Amino acid sequence: MKECKPVNTPVEVGMKLRTNSIKESINSTLFKSLVGSLRYLTFTRPDIMYAVGLVSRYIEKPKQDHFITAKKILRYIKGTLEYGLFYTHSQDSKLVGYLDSDYGGDLDDAKSTSGYAFHIGLAVFSWSSKKQQTVPLSTCEAEYMAVAACTCQAIWLKYILSELYYSNEEPVTIYVDNKSSISLAKNPVSHSRSKHINIKYHFLRKQDGSDTVCHGVDTLDSETHEVVRFISKVTLLASGGAGHIYPSTTNPPVATGDGIAMAHRAQAVISNMEFVQFHLTALADEGLPLKLTMPRENSFLISEGVRGDGGFLFNLSMERLMPSYDKRAELAPRDVVARSIDDQLKKRKEKYVLLDISHKSRKKILSHFPNIAAGCLQYGLDITQVPIPVVPAAHYMCGGVRSGIHGETNVRGLFVAGEVACTGLHGANHLASNSLLEALVFARRAVQPSIDHKRDCREEDRGFEAYLYQHHWEPTMVGLEACEMRNLFCCAKLVVRSSIARRESSGLHIAQPIILT
Protein backbone atom coordinates (compact mmCIF):
# COMPACT_ATOMS: atom_id res chain seq x y z
CA MET A 1 0.00 0.00 0.00
CA LYS A 2 3.02 2.35 0.27
CA GLU A 3 3.11 2.81 -3.50
CA CYS A 4 -0.66 2.85 -4.00
CA LYS A 5 -2.43 5.60 -5.86
CA PRO A 6 -4.63 7.88 -3.67
CA VAL A 7 -8.35 8.22 -4.43
CA ASN A 8 -10.81 11.04 -3.79
CA THR A 9 -13.56 9.11 -2.00
CA PRO A 10 -13.39 6.39 0.69
CA VAL A 11 -16.06 4.30 -1.03
CA GLU A 12 -17.61 4.25 -4.47
CA VAL A 13 -21.00 5.92 -4.78
CA GLY A 14 -23.75 3.31 -4.60
CA MET A 15 -21.38 0.53 -3.46
CA LYS A 16 -23.38 -2.60 -2.52
CA LEU A 17 -21.84 -5.58 -0.70
CA ARG A 18 -23.34 -8.85 0.49
CA THR A 19 -22.31 -11.55 2.94
CA ASN A 20 -22.65 -14.46 0.51
CA SER A 21 -20.39 -13.00 -2.12
CA ILE A 22 -19.17 -15.30 -4.90
CA LYS A 23 -15.63 -13.92 -4.46
CA GLU A 24 -13.01 -16.05 -2.72
CA SER A 25 -12.56 -15.89 1.05
CA ILE A 26 -9.59 -14.14 2.68
CA ASN A 27 -7.78 -14.34 6.02
CA SER A 28 -10.32 -13.12 8.60
CA THR A 29 -7.61 -12.24 11.16
CA LEU A 30 -5.94 -9.87 8.72
CA PHE A 31 -9.27 -8.34 7.78
CA LYS A 32 -10.31 -7.86 11.44
CA SER A 33 -6.98 -6.20 12.20
CA LEU A 34 -7.41 -3.82 9.26
CA VAL A 35 -11.04 -2.93 10.08
CA GLY A 36 -10.20 -2.52 13.78
CA SER A 37 -7.48 -0.01 12.95
CA LEU A 38 -9.84 1.86 10.65
CA ARG A 39 -12.54 1.99 13.32
CA TYR A 40 -10.01 3.50 15.72
CA LEU A 41 -9.27 6.18 13.13
CA THR A 42 -12.96 7.15 12.91
CA PHE A 43 -12.56 8.87 16.31
CA THR A 44 -10.96 11.79 14.45
CA ARG A 45 -12.10 11.17 10.86
CA PRO A 46 -15.90 11.38 10.50
CA ASP A 47 -15.46 11.41 6.71
CA ILE A 48 -14.66 7.67 6.69
CA MET A 49 -17.36 6.67 9.19
CA TYR A 50 -19.82 5.31 6.63
CA ALA A 51 -17.22 3.39 4.63
CA VAL A 52 -15.69 1.78 7.74
CA GLY A 53 -19.14 0.89 9.04
CA LEU A 54 -19.90 -0.77 5.73
CA VAL A 55 -16.88 -3.12 5.72
CA SER A 56 -17.28 -3.82 9.45
CA ARG A 57 -20.39 -5.88 8.66
CA TYR A 58 -18.30 -8.61 7.04
CA ILE A 59 -15.49 -9.27 9.55
CA GLU A 60 -16.69 -12.82 10.31
CA LYS A 61 -16.52 -14.17 6.76
CA PRO A 62 -14.66 -11.60 4.67
CA LYS A 63 -14.40 -12.04 0.92
CA GLN A 64 -12.11 -10.53 -1.68
CA ASP A 65 -14.52 -7.72 -2.62
CA HIS A 66 -14.82 -6.75 1.06
CA PHE A 67 -11.04 -6.57 1.30
CA ILE A 68 -10.77 -4.45 -1.85
CA THR A 69 -13.33 -2.01 -0.41
CA ALA A 70 -11.32 -1.75 2.82
CA LYS A 71 -8.09 -1.16 0.86
CA LYS A 72 -9.76 1.69 -1.00
CA ILE A 73 -10.36 3.40 2.35
CA LEU A 74 -6.59 3.17 2.94
CA ARG A 75 -5.93 4.70 -0.47
CA TYR A 76 -8.29 7.57 0.43
CA ILE A 77 -6.53 8.09 3.75
CA LYS A 78 -3.15 8.24 2.02
CA GLY A 79 -4.35 11.17 -0.07
CA THR A 80 -5.90 12.97 2.90
CA LEU A 81 -3.28 12.60 5.64
CA GLU A 82 -3.65 16.29 6.46
CA TYR A 83 -7.38 15.87 7.21
CA GLY A 84 -8.57 15.91 10.79
CA LEU A 85 -10.56 17.85 13.36
CA PHE A 86 -9.18 21.21 14.40
CA TYR A 87 -10.99 22.88 17.28
CA THR A 88 -10.58 26.63 17.56
CA HIS A 89 -12.23 29.27 19.70
CA SER A 90 -15.59 30.35 18.28
CA GLN A 91 -18.31 32.72 19.43
CA ASP A 92 -20.97 30.52 17.86
CA SER A 93 -22.64 28.46 20.60
CA LYS A 94 -25.55 27.03 18.62
CA LEU A 95 -25.90 23.26 18.43
CA VAL A 96 -26.67 22.18 14.85
CA GLY A 97 -27.24 18.69 13.45
CA TYR A 98 -27.24 17.20 9.95
CA LEU A 99 -28.59 13.79 8.98
CA ASP A 100 -29.24 11.57 5.99
CA SER A 101 -30.24 8.01 5.19
CA ASP A 102 -30.20 5.67 2.23
CA TYR A 103 -33.08 3.31 1.43
CA GLY A 104 -32.68 -0.46 1.72
CA GLY A 105 -28.95 -0.20 1.09
CA ASP A 106 -28.02 -3.53 2.71
CA LEU A 107 -28.44 -6.37 0.17
CA ASP A 108 -28.64 -9.03 2.92
CA ASP A 109 -31.56 -7.74 4.97
CA ALA A 110 -32.81 -4.64 3.05
CA LYS A 111 -32.16 -2.40 6.05
CA SER A 112 -31.12 1.22 5.54
CA THR A 113 -28.11 3.08 6.89
CA SER A 114 -28.55 6.43 8.59
CA GLY A 115 -25.97 8.90 9.81
CA TYR A 116 -25.79 12.22 11.60
CA ALA A 117 -23.24 14.84 12.62
CA PHE A 118 -23.45 17.66 15.17
CA HIS A 119 -21.29 20.72 15.48
CA ILE A 120 -20.90 23.74 17.71
CA GLY A 121 -18.97 26.55 16.12
CA LEU A 122 -16.66 25.48 13.31
CA ALA A 123 -15.98 21.79 13.98
CA VAL A 124 -17.94 18.55 14.23
CA PHE A 125 -17.82 16.93 17.67
CA SER A 126 -20.41 14.12 17.51
CA TRP A 127 -21.16 11.81 14.58
CA SER A 128 -22.47 8.37 13.75
CA SER A 129 -23.21 6.05 10.83
CA LYS A 130 -25.25 3.00 11.69
CA LYS A 131 -27.56 0.44 10.09
CA GLN A 132 -31.17 0.85 11.16
CA GLN A 133 -32.76 -1.83 13.33
CA THR A 134 -35.87 -2.39 11.24
CA VAL A 135 -36.67 -2.59 7.54
CA PRO A 136 -38.30 0.62 6.25
CA LEU A 137 -41.25 0.37 3.89
CA SER A 138 -40.53 3.68 2.15
CA THR A 139 -37.84 6.33 1.76
CA CYS A 140 -39.98 8.53 4.01
CA GLU A 141 -39.85 5.96 6.81
CA ALA A 142 -36.09 5.44 6.40
CA GLU A 143 -35.48 9.18 6.74
CA TYR A 144 -38.00 9.40 9.57
CA MET A 145 -36.19 6.75 11.61
CA ALA A 146 -32.95 8.68 10.99
CA VAL A 147 -34.62 11.84 12.31
CA ALA A 148 -35.76 9.99 15.45
CA ALA A 149 -32.23 8.70 16.14
CA CYS A 150 -30.73 12.14 15.51
CA THR A 151 -33.27 13.78 17.81
CA CYS A 152 -32.39 11.34 20.62
CA GLN A 153 -28.73 12.27 20.21
CA ALA A 154 -29.57 15.99 20.23
CA ILE A 155 -31.44 15.63 23.52
CA TRP A 156 -28.54 13.72 25.07
CA LEU A 157 -26.00 16.29 23.83
CA LYS A 158 -28.01 19.18 25.30
CA TYR A 159 -28.07 17.35 28.63
CA ILE A 160 -24.31 16.73 28.56
CA LEU A 161 -23.59 20.33 27.59
CA SER A 162 -25.80 21.63 30.41
CA GLU A 163 -23.83 19.44 32.85
CA LEU A 164 -20.68 21.17 31.55
CA TYR A 165 -22.32 24.58 32.20
CA TYR A 166 -22.62 25.15 28.47
CA SER A 167 -26.30 25.97 28.52
CA ASN A 168 -28.14 27.25 25.47
CA GLU A 169 -31.89 27.79 25.57
CA GLU A 170 -32.26 27.86 21.78
CA PRO A 171 -33.77 24.73 20.22
CA VAL A 172 -31.41 22.46 18.30
CA THR A 173 -31.61 22.89 14.53
CA ILE A 174 -31.55 19.59 12.62
CA TYR A 175 -31.28 19.73 8.84
CA VAL A 176 -33.30 17.10 6.96
CA ASP A 177 -33.39 16.83 3.15
CA ASN A 178 -36.49 14.63 2.85
CA LYS A 179 -39.67 16.68 2.38
CA SER A 180 -41.98 13.76 3.16
CA SER A 181 -40.50 13.12 6.59
CA ILE A 182 -40.60 16.84 7.40
CA SER A 183 -44.25 17.06 6.36
CA LEU A 184 -45.09 13.95 8.35
CA ALA A 185 -43.49 15.39 11.47
CA LYS A 186 -45.39 18.65 11.15
CA ASN A 187 -48.76 17.53 9.86
CA PRO A 188 -49.16 13.73 9.91
CA VAL A 189 -51.95 12.02 8.01
CA SER A 190 -53.12 8.62 9.27
CA HIS A 191 -53.00 6.36 6.24
CA SER A 192 -51.58 2.98 5.39
CA ARG A 193 -48.07 4.30 4.70
CA SER A 194 -47.62 6.03 8.08
CA LYS A 195 -49.52 3.93 10.63
CA HIS A 196 -46.49 1.74 11.33
CA ILE A 197 -44.33 4.70 12.39
CA ASN A 198 -46.89 6.20 14.73
CA ILE A 199 -44.72 5.75 17.86
CA LYS A 200 -41.75 7.56 16.33
CA TYR A 201 -44.11 10.27 15.15
CA HIS A 202 -45.36 10.88 18.70
CA PHE A 203 -41.79 11.01 19.99
CA LEU A 204 -40.74 13.65 17.44
CA ARG A 205 -43.88 15.69 17.95
CA LYS A 206 -43.14 15.80 21.66
CA GLN A 207 -39.60 17.05 21.07
CA ASP A 208 -40.45 19.86 18.64
CA GLY A 209 -43.28 21.23 20.81
CA SER A 210 -46.02 20.20 18.39
CA ASP A 211 -48.10 18.65 21.16
CA THR A 212 -49.26 22.21 21.84
CA VAL A 213 -52.46 23.03 19.96
CA CYS A 214 -53.95 26.48 19.39
CA HIS A 215 -57.75 26.48 19.71
CA GLY A 216 -58.31 30.21 19.21
CA VAL A 217 -57.57 33.47 20.95
CA ASP A 218 -58.76 35.50 23.94
CA THR A 219 -59.14 39.15 22.97
CA LEU A 220 -59.73 42.30 24.99
CA ASP A 221 -62.42 44.76 23.92
CA SER A 222 -60.63 48.10 24.32
CA GLU A 223 -63.90 49.96 24.92
CA THR A 224 -65.71 47.65 27.36
CA HIS A 225 -62.54 46.03 28.77
CA GLU A 226 -64.25 42.67 28.50
CA VAL A 227 -62.48 39.50 27.42
CA VAL A 228 -63.99 38.00 24.27
CA ARG A 229 -63.04 34.44 23.32
CA PHE A 230 -62.85 33.29 19.71
CA ILE A 231 -62.65 29.53 19.17
CA SER A 232 -61.05 28.44 15.91
CA LYS A 233 -59.23 25.44 14.54
CA VAL A 234 -56.83 27.81 12.75
CA THR A 235 -55.43 31.10 14.07
CA LEU A 236 -53.18 33.44 12.09
CA LEU A 237 -51.18 36.06 14.00
CA ALA A 238 -50.53 39.29 12.10
CA SER A 239 -50.00 41.60 15.07
CA GLY A 240 -46.86 43.43 13.98
CA GLY A 241 -43.61 43.98 15.86
CA ALA A 242 -42.56 45.29 19.26
CA GLY A 243 -40.98 48.66 18.50
CA HIS A 244 -42.31 50.23 21.69
CA ILE A 245 -39.92 48.28 23.89
CA TYR A 246 -37.60 51.16 22.93
CA PRO A 247 -38.17 54.82 23.93
CA SER A 248 -37.95 55.96 20.31
CA THR A 249 -39.65 54.06 17.49
CA THR A 250 -41.22 54.67 14.10
CA ASN A 251 -43.85 52.01 14.84
CA PRO A 252 -47.54 52.78 15.47
CA PRO A 253 -48.87 52.63 19.07
CA VAL A 254 -50.16 49.07 18.62
CA ALA A 255 -46.63 47.66 18.11
CA THR A 256 -46.35 46.35 21.68
CA GLY A 257 -45.30 42.81 20.84
CA ASP A 258 -48.64 41.26 21.75
CA GLY A 259 -48.49 38.48 19.16
CA ILE A 260 -44.89 37.51 19.95
CA ALA A 261 -45.58 37.46 23.69
CA MET A 262 -48.77 35.40 23.31
CA ALA A 263 -47.04 32.90 21.06
CA HIS A 264 -44.13 32.65 23.50
CA ARG A 265 -46.51 31.85 26.36
CA ALA A 266 -48.10 29.19 24.13
CA GLN A 267 -44.65 27.53 23.75
CA ALA A 268 -44.10 28.65 20.17
CA VAL A 269 -40.45 28.92 19.13
CA ILE A 270 -39.19 32.53 19.09
CA SER A 271 -36.06 33.23 17.02
CA ASN A 272 -33.62 36.01 16.07
CA MET A 273 -35.00 38.60 18.50
CA GLU A 274 -31.54 40.16 18.75
CA PHE A 275 -31.82 41.46 15.18
CA VAL A 276 -33.66 44.77 15.53
CA GLN A 277 -33.30 47.36 12.78
CA PHE A 278 -33.08 51.00 13.82
CA HIS A 279 -33.97 53.73 11.38
CA LEU A 280 -31.04 56.03 11.86
CA THR A 281 -32.73 59.40 11.32
CA ALA A 282 -36.04 59.87 13.08
CA LEU A 283 -37.08 63.41 14.04
CA ALA A 284 -35.87 64.17 17.59
CA ASP A 285 -38.46 65.97 19.74
CA GLU A 286 -35.81 67.57 21.95
CA GLY A 287 -34.31 69.61 19.10
CA LEU A 288 -37.51 71.11 17.68
CA PRO A 289 -38.08 74.90 17.81
CA LEU A 290 -41.70 74.37 18.89
CA LYS A 291 -41.85 72.15 21.96
CA LEU A 292 -44.51 69.46 22.00
CA THR A 293 -47.23 69.64 24.62
CA MET A 294 -47.28 65.84 24.77
CA PRO A 295 -45.03 63.12 23.29
CA ARG A 296 -45.84 61.87 19.80
CA GLU A 297 -47.13 58.29 19.54
CA ASN A 298 -44.42 57.38 17.07
CA SER A 299 -41.36 59.10 15.62
CA PHE A 300 -41.56 61.05 12.38
CA LEU A 301 -39.28 59.32 9.89
CA ILE A 302 -36.67 61.34 7.99
CA SER A 303 -35.96 59.38 4.81
CA GLU A 304 -32.53 57.90 4.15
CA GLY A 305 -32.80 59.66 0.81
CA VAL A 306 -31.78 62.88 2.59
CA ARG A 307 -28.35 61.36 3.29
CA GLY A 308 -28.22 59.84 -0.16
CA ASP A 309 -28.94 63.22 -1.71
CA GLY A 310 -25.96 64.86 -0.01
CA GLY A 311 -27.06 65.45 3.58
CA PHE A 312 -24.34 65.60 6.27
CA LEU A 313 -24.48 64.43 9.88
CA PHE A 314 -23.10 66.75 12.57
CA ASN A 315 -22.89 66.64 16.33
CA LEU A 316 -24.15 69.61 18.31
CA SER A 317 -20.73 71.28 17.96
CA MET A 318 -21.29 71.20 14.17
CA GLU A 319 -18.50 68.69 13.63
CA ARG A 320 -19.08 66.07 10.96
CA LEU A 321 -19.17 62.70 12.67
CA MET A 322 -19.31 59.98 9.99
CA PRO A 323 -15.82 60.39 8.38
CA SER A 324 -14.23 59.31 11.66
CA TYR A 325 -16.28 56.08 11.70
CA ASP A 326 -16.33 54.90 8.09
CA LYS A 327 -14.57 55.94 4.89
CA ARG A 328 -17.94 55.93 3.11
CA ALA A 329 -19.12 58.62 5.55
CA GLU A 330 -22.89 59.27 5.31
CA LEU A 331 -23.22 56.67 2.54
CA ALA A 332 -22.17 53.79 4.82
CA PRO A 333 -24.77 51.03 5.42
CA ARG A 334 -27.66 51.99 7.67
CA ASP A 335 -26.60 49.80 10.60
CA VAL A 336 -23.11 51.33 10.53
CA VAL A 337 -24.50 54.86 10.55
CA ALA A 338 -27.01 54.05 13.28
CA ARG A 339 -24.30 52.63 15.56
CA SER A 340 -22.07 55.63 14.83
CA ILE A 341 -24.80 58.05 15.86
CA ASP A 342 -25.50 56.02 18.98
CA ASP A 343 -21.80 56.05 19.87
CA GLN A 344 -21.67 59.84 19.49
CA LEU A 345 -24.72 60.35 21.66
CA LYS A 346 -23.29 58.20 24.44
CA LYS A 347 -19.81 59.69 24.31
CA ARG A 348 -21.01 63.30 24.26
CA LYS A 349 -24.05 62.66 26.47
CA GLU A 350 -26.31 64.39 23.95
CA LYS A 351 -29.86 63.47 22.95
CA TYR A 352 -29.69 63.97 19.18
CA VAL A 353 -27.46 64.80 16.22
CA LEU A 354 -28.07 67.09 13.25
CA LEU A 355 -28.78 66.11 9.64
CA ASP A 356 -28.12 69.06 7.35
CA ILE A 357 -29.37 69.34 3.76
CA SER A 358 -29.71 73.14 3.80
CA HIS A 359 -26.60 73.61 1.59
CA LYS A 360 -28.74 72.36 -1.31
CA SER A 361 -31.03 74.73 -3.21
CA ARG A 362 -34.45 75.37 -1.69
CA LYS A 363 -36.16 74.32 -4.92
CA LYS A 364 -34.37 70.98 -5.00
CA ILE A 365 -35.09 70.23 -1.34
CA LEU A 366 -38.81 70.97 -1.65
CA SER A 367 -39.13 68.99 -4.87
CA HIS A 368 -37.29 65.94 -3.53
CA PHE A 369 -38.62 65.90 0.05
CA PRO A 370 -41.98 67.73 0.13
CA ASN A 371 -43.52 65.56 2.88
CA ILE A 372 -40.48 65.80 5.14
CA ALA A 373 -40.34 69.57 4.67
CA ALA A 374 -44.05 69.94 5.44
CA GLY A 375 -43.86 67.63 8.46
CA CYS A 376 -40.91 69.48 9.99
CA LEU A 377 -42.50 72.87 9.29
CA GLN A 378 -45.39 71.92 11.60
CA TYR A 379 -42.87 72.10 14.45
CA GLY A 380 -41.32 75.39 13.28
CA LEU A 381 -38.41 73.73 11.48
CA ASP A 382 -37.49 74.92 7.97
CA ILE A 383 -35.15 72.24 6.60
CA THR A 384 -34.08 74.55 3.74
CA GLN A 385 -32.51 76.87 6.32
CA VAL A 386 -31.45 74.83 9.38
CA PRO A 387 -30.33 71.26 10.17
CA ILE A 388 -32.82 68.60 11.23
CA PRO A 389 -32.47 67.15 14.78
CA VAL A 390 -32.47 63.36 14.39
CA VAL A 391 -32.01 60.26 16.53
CA PRO A 392 -32.05 56.51 15.74
CA ALA A 393 -35.42 54.86 16.34
CA ALA A 394 -36.49 51.21 16.43
CA HIS A 395 -37.97 50.44 13.04
CA TYR A 396 -38.28 46.71 12.26
CA MET A 397 -37.83 43.37 14.04
CA CYS A 398 -36.24 40.67 11.90
CA GLY A 399 -36.99 38.11 14.60
CA GLY A 400 -40.29 36.86 15.93
CA VAL A 401 -42.32 33.66 15.94
CA ARG A 402 -40.40 31.10 13.93
CA SER A 403 -42.36 29.89 10.92
CA GLY A 404 -41.91 27.51 8.01
CA ILE A 405 -42.31 28.42 4.36
CA HIS A 406 -46.11 28.26 4.71
CA GLY A 407 -46.35 30.46 7.80
CA GLU A 408 -46.78 27.43 10.07
CA THR A 409 -45.36 27.37 13.61
CA ASN A 410 -44.46 24.50 15.93
CA VAL A 411 -47.85 25.06 17.65
CA ARG A 412 -50.49 23.17 15.71
CA GLY A 413 -53.20 25.40 14.30
CA LEU A 414 -51.13 28.59 14.74
CA PHE A 415 -49.84 30.47 11.70
CA VAL A 416 -48.02 33.81 11.47
CA ALA A 417 -47.47 36.48 8.83
CA GLY A 418 -45.91 39.93 8.77
CA GLU A 419 -43.48 41.44 11.26
CA VAL A 420 -44.62 39.09 14.05
CA ALA A 421 -43.12 36.20 12.05
CA CYS A 422 -39.52 35.12 11.70
CA THR A 423 -39.61 33.56 8.24
CA GLY A 424 -35.87 33.75 7.61
CA LEU A 425 -36.31 36.11 4.66
CA HIS A 426 -34.56 39.00 6.37
CA GLY A 427 -31.77 37.00 8.01
CA ALA A 428 -29.58 39.12 10.28
CA ASN A 429 -30.51 42.41 8.59
CA HIS A 430 -33.73 43.92 7.30
CA LEU A 431 -34.21 43.30 3.58
CA ALA A 432 -35.47 46.77 2.73
CA SER A 433 -38.76 47.34 0.91
CA ASN A 434 -39.75 43.67 1.14
CA SER A 435 -41.74 43.62 4.38
CA LEU A 436 -45.17 44.13 2.84
CA LEU A 437 -44.48 41.63 0.07
CA GLU A 438 -43.27 39.09 2.64
CA ALA A 439 -46.49 39.47 4.65
CA LEU A 440 -48.65 38.99 1.55
CA VAL A 441 -46.73 35.96 0.28
CA PHE A 442 -46.66 34.08 3.58
CA ALA A 443 -50.30 34.90 4.35
CA ARG A 444 -51.24 33.46 0.96
CA ARG A 445 -49.06 30.41 1.51
CA ALA A 446 -50.76 29.72 4.84
CA VAL A 447 -54.18 29.25 3.24
CA GLN A 448 -53.90 25.64 2.02
CA PRO A 449 -52.09 24.29 5.13
CA SER A 450 -54.79 25.96 7.24
CA ILE A 451 -57.50 24.18 5.24
CA ASP A 452 -55.62 20.89 5.57
CA HIS A 453 -55.22 21.32 9.33
CA LYS A 454 -58.90 22.11 9.77
CA ARG A 455 -59.84 18.99 7.80
CA ASP A 456 -57.47 16.79 9.79
CA CYS A 457 -58.70 17.94 13.21
CA ARG A 458 -60.03 15.03 15.21
CA GLU A 459 -63.69 14.57 16.11
CA GLU A 460 -62.93 14.62 19.83
CA ASP A 461 -61.74 18.23 19.48
CA ARG A 462 -65.36 19.32 19.16
CA GLY A 463 -66.13 18.38 22.75
CA PHE A 464 -63.10 20.28 23.95
CA GLU A 465 -64.17 23.36 21.98
CA ALA A 466 -67.57 23.24 23.68
CA TYR A 467 -65.76 23.16 27.02
CA LEU A 468 -63.70 26.21 26.03
CA TYR A 469 -66.86 28.15 25.21
CA GLN A 470 -68.18 27.54 28.71
CA HIS A 471 -64.95 28.17 30.68
CA HIS A 472 -63.13 31.41 30.04
CA TRP A 473 -61.81 34.47 31.81
CA GLU A 474 -64.26 36.56 33.73
CA PRO A 475 -64.99 39.99 32.17
CA THR A 476 -62.98 43.02 33.36
CA MET A 477 -60.24 40.82 34.83
CA VAL A 478 -57.57 42.61 32.80
CA GLY A 479 -56.85 46.10 31.50
CA LEU A 480 -55.45 47.18 28.13
CA GLU A 481 -52.38 48.96 29.55
CA ALA A 482 -51.60 46.06 31.88
CA CYS A 483 -51.75 43.57 28.99
CA GLU A 484 -49.55 45.69 26.73
CA MET A 485 -47.02 46.34 29.51
CA ARG A 486 -46.81 42.62 30.25
CA ASN A 487 -46.22 41.87 26.58
CA LEU A 488 -43.60 44.61 26.25
CA PHE A 489 -41.68 43.21 29.22
CA CYS A 490 -41.86 39.73 27.70
CA CYS A 491 -40.50 40.90 24.32
CA ALA A 492 -37.79 43.03 25.95
CA LYS A 493 -36.63 40.00 27.92
CA LEU A 494 -36.55 37.91 24.74
CA VAL A 495 -34.42 40.53 22.97
CA VAL A 496 -31.97 40.71 25.89
CA ARG A 497 -31.70 36.93 26.22
CA SER A 498 -31.20 36.45 22.48
CA SER A 499 -28.55 39.19 22.40
CA ILE A 500 -26.62 37.61 25.27
CA ALA A 501 -26.84 34.15 23.71
CA ARG A 502 -25.39 35.29 20.35
CA ARG A 503 -21.76 35.98 21.11
CA GLU A 504 -20.62 36.81 17.58
CA SER A 505 -21.40 40.01 15.70
CA SER A 506 -23.73 39.52 12.76
CA GLY A 507 -25.85 41.98 10.78
CA LEU A 508 -27.85 44.17 13.12
CA HIS A 509 -26.37 42.54 16.21
CA ILE A 510 -23.01 43.74 17.48
CA ALA A 511 -21.42 41.75 20.30
CA GLN A 512 -19.11 43.84 22.42
CA PRO A 513 -18.22 43.92 26.12
CA ILE A 514 -20.11 46.28 28.42
CA ILE A 515 -17.80 48.38 30.58
CA LEU A 516 -19.43 49.54 33.80
CA THR A 517 -18.02 52.76 35.28
Side-chain angles (χ1 to χ4, degrees):
M1 297 298 293
K2 288 184 179 180
E3 304 299 327
C4 69
K5 184 178 180 181
V7 294
N8 295 325
T9 58
V11 65
E12 293 181 11
V13 177
M15 168 62 70
K16 303 280 187 180
L17 299 174
R18 62 171 69 245
T19 302
N20 298 322
S21 171
I22 60 174
K23 302 293 183 179
E24 63 179 286
S25 299
I26 64 168
N27 187 321
S28 62
T29 302
L30 173 64
F31 190 75
K32 287 178 181 179
S33 176
L34 172 57
V35 173
S37 300
L38 289 173
R39 290 194 68 85
Y40 184 78
L41 190 58
T42 60
F43 291 140
T44 57
R45 293 290 298 268
D47 53 327
I48 64 172
M49 192 72 198
Y50 170 74
V52 174
L54 178 63
V55 297
S56 297
R57 301 171 188 174
Y58 310 102
I59 57 175
E60 294 300 326
K61 296 180 179 180
K63 300 295 181 72
Q64 189 65 34
D65 51 348
H66 305 151
F67 188 56
I68 293 174
T69 304
K71 288 173 65 177
K72 183 171 183 178
I73 301 176
L74 294 177
R75 293 171 60 193
Y76 170 75
I77 293 172
K78 182 179 180 181
T80 57
L81 291 175
E82 74 280 7
Y83 283 18
L85 296 177
F86 301 91
Y87 295 98
T88 58
H89 177 71
S90 173
Q91 298 291 342
D92 186 3
S93 61
K94 190 173 182 180
L95 180 61
V96 179
Y98 298 83
L99 68 92
D100 202 0
S101 172
D102 65 3
Y103 175 52
D106 194 299
L107 297 179
D108 294 321
D109 53 18
K111 292 180 180 179
S112 302
T113 302
S114 57
Y116 59 75
F118 286 89
H119 72 77
I120 292 180
L122 302 177
V124 176
F125 76 102
S126 176
W127 58 89
S128 174
S129 177
K130 190 175 181 181
K131 188 163 69 171
Q132 295 176 356
Q133 296 179 352
T134 58
V135 179
L137 301 183
S138 65
T139 55
C140 174
E141 183 182 356
E143 291 276 357
Y144 205 80
M145 289 193 288
V147 175
C150 187
T151 303
C152 289
Q153 182 71 2
I155 296 170
W156 182 79
L157 288 174
K158 288 206 71 172
Y159 172 76
I160 293 297
L161 291 172
S162 66
E163 289 292 305
L164 297 174
Y165 302 100
Y166 196 83
S167 179
N168 191 332
E169 295 183 1
E170 287 193 21
V172 180
T173 300
I174 298 177
Y175 289 95
V176 186
D177 64 353
N178 185 275
K179 292 184 178 180
S180 297
S181 58
I182 295 173
S183 300
L184 189 62
K186 291 182 175 295
N187 188 26
V189 179
S190 181
H191 51 61
S192 58
R193 292 200 310 171
S194 63
K195 285 181 179 178
H196 53 283
I197 50 176
N198 194 42
I199 293 177
K200 290 184 176 64
Y201 150 68
H202 281 297
F203 168 74
L204 290 177
R205 286 294 293 270
K206 185 175 181 180
Q207 301 311 317
D208 72 2
S210 299
D211 273 351
T212 305
V213 182
C214 178
H215 289 279
V217 61
D218 283 329
T219 64
L220 180 67
D221 189 316
S222 59
E223 294 183 359
T224 65
H225 285 243
E226 291 184 348
V227 175
V228 181
R229 171 161 289 177
F230 293 91
I231 302 298
S232 175
K233 291 182 174 63
V234 174
T235 302
L236 187 139
L237 280 177
S239 54
H244 281 275
I245 62 175
Y246 296 96
S248 181
T249 178
T250 62
N251 291 182
V254 295
T256 50
D258 303 318
I260 296 173
M262 285 192 296
H264 176 65
R265 290 192 287 269
Q267 300 179 19
V269 176
I270 311 298
S271 297
N272 292 356
M273 290 294 284
E274 67 272 29
F275 298 123
V276 181
Q277 182 213 353
F278 280 74
H279 188 82
L280 50 159
T281 51
L283 190 62
D285 294 348
E286 291 83 355
L288 295 175
L290 299 179
K291 301 304 177 184
L292 303 178
T293 56
M294 58 184 301
R296 283 178 286 127
E297 292 179 337
N298 58 306
S299 300
F300 182 70
L301 192 148
I302 306 299
S303 170
E304 293 186 64
V306 176
R307 284 186 303 116
D309 207 33
F312 297 126
L313 284 166
F314 297 91
N315 58 31
L316 297 190
S317 299
M318 292 307 294
E319 301 167 338
R320 278 190 69 189
L321 59 96
M322 281 311 300
S324 61
Y325 287 97
D326 194 286
K327 63 182 181 181
R328 294 164 291 187
E330 281 78 8
L331 298 181
R334 62 176 69 174
D335 53 311
V336 175
V337 179
R339 287 195 299 273
S340 302
I341 295 175
D342 180 67
D343 183 65
Q344 277 284 301
L345 297 180
K346 289 175 178 175
K347 284 181 177 178
R348 296 174 59 88
K349 297 182 179 180
E350 296 171 345
K351 294 185 176 181
Y352 59 91
V353 297
L354 299 171
L355 176 61
D356 191 14
I357 192 70
S358 61
H359 53 279
K360 298 289 183 178
S361 69
R362 178 183 179 86
K363 181 180 179 181
K364 183 176 181 180
I365 294 172
L366 294 180
S367 63
H368 284 197
F369 311 108
N371 294 332
I372 296 175
C376 291
L377 201 58
Q378 293 179 4
Y379 305 104
L381 188 71
D382 185 355
I383 67 172
T384 66
Q385 300 294 323
V386 295
I388 309 168
V390 293
V391 65
H395 187 56
Y396 189 87
M397 301 200 75
C398 296
V401 185
R402 183 188 290 178
S403 77
I405 61 173
H406 296 100
E408 76 280 11
T409 71
N410 65 306
V411 176
R412 284 186 286 164
L414 180 63
F415 295 79
V416 288
E419 193 172 352
V420 69
C422 178
T423 64
L425 172 70
H426 297 286
N429 214 327
H430 181 212
L431 190 60
S433 302
N434 281 270
S435 307
L436 179 59
L437 183 60
E438 176 201 28
L440 292 172
V441 169
F442 279 85
R444 177 64 183 86
R445 284 182 169 184
V447 173
Q448 189 57 49
S450 299
I451 296 172
D452 295 340
H453 174 79
K454 185 177 180 180
R455 184 182 60 246
D456 295 336
C457 284
R458 300 170 295 180
E459 289 295 321
E460 53 264 34
D461 288 344
R462 295 180 181 178
F464 185 60
E465 291 176 4
Y467 175 84
L468 290 175
Y469 271 119
Q470 299 170 8
H471 298 78
H472 51 78
W473 292 6
E474 293 296 327
T476 69
M477 282 184 62
V478 293
L480 178 61
E481 291 185 357
C483 286
E484 290 184 338
M485 186 60 66
R486 179 192 184 196
N487 294 335
L488 284 170
F489 274 123
C490 176
C491 291
K493 185 168 65 173
L494 289 169
V495 170
V496 172
R497 283 184 175 179
S498 297
S499 300
I500 293 174
R502 186 175 294 276
R503 300 178 183 178
E504 80 282 1
S505 296
S506 178
L508 296 168
H509 173 70
I510 299 298
Q512 59 185 18
I514 299 175
I515 302 176
L516 301 177
T517 57

